[in-house]
Amino acid sequence: MSGQAEHELLAALRGFVADIGALEPPPAGAPVAHLEITTGIDRAGLDLTGPVAEALVRALREYHDPRDNGRCEHCGGRRLDTHLICADCRRPNGVFGRLVMERAARHAAHGEPDTDL
């Protein structure tokens, strides 16, 4: 992790805690958790009140990585590329995958080359 990325991580966590914490009516609740994070260049200790901890849990659970294209229905792998080809079993996934496989099987059954794929 680069120094800039480490700085941004700590700044984002501190900002998240401060922003959510600012929405709590005074007096702020007692901390329910203490988060310690250490990077190569810095260290931070953050106290999380109940609402801040709940917001962090919700944010983490709702995050969707744009690289995540789902699971392969053939092998269950998690590495579908943008064309829905599984990096683990190399098969196309979903309706598209079934159509490609059916077309390839038809061509193979007739001894035709797979030029239309």
Side-chain angles (χ1 to χ4, degrees):
M1 183 180 268
S2 72
Q4 181 64 26
E6 293 169 353
H7 177 73
E8 288 178 18
L9 171 63
L10 291 174
L13 284 169
R14 287 180 178 127
F16 183 88
V17 170
D19 290 347
I20 302 300
L23 301 174
E24 293 183 49
V32 297
H34 182 77
L35 179 65
E36 287 280 337
I37 185 161
T38 303
T39 68
I41 61 172
D42 204 0
R43 181 179 183 160
L46 303 167
D47 288 325
L48 308 180
T49 61
V52 173
E54 290 172 15
L56 181 57
V57 167
R58 193 172 326 115
L60 292 170
R61 286 187 177 152
E62 291 178 4
Y63 174 76
H64 176 80
D65 191 310
R67 300 169 299 168
D68 184 356
N69 294 310
R71 289 194 176 275
C72 176
E73 59 187 42
H74 301 289
C75 72
R78 295 282 315 256
R79 300 184 318 137
L80 295 177
D81 67 15
T82 56
H83 302 291
L84 303 179
I85 306 295
C86 179
D88 297 322
C89 70
R90 304 301 309 154
R91 294 182 68 170
N93 198 52
V95 173
F96 165 72
R98 283 192 295 276
L99 290 173
V100 168
M101 298 306 283
E102 288 170 9
R103 181 138 188 157
R106 253 194 342 256
H107 284 284
H110 295 288
E112 301 173 16
D114 293 339
T115 57
D116 292 342
L117 295 178

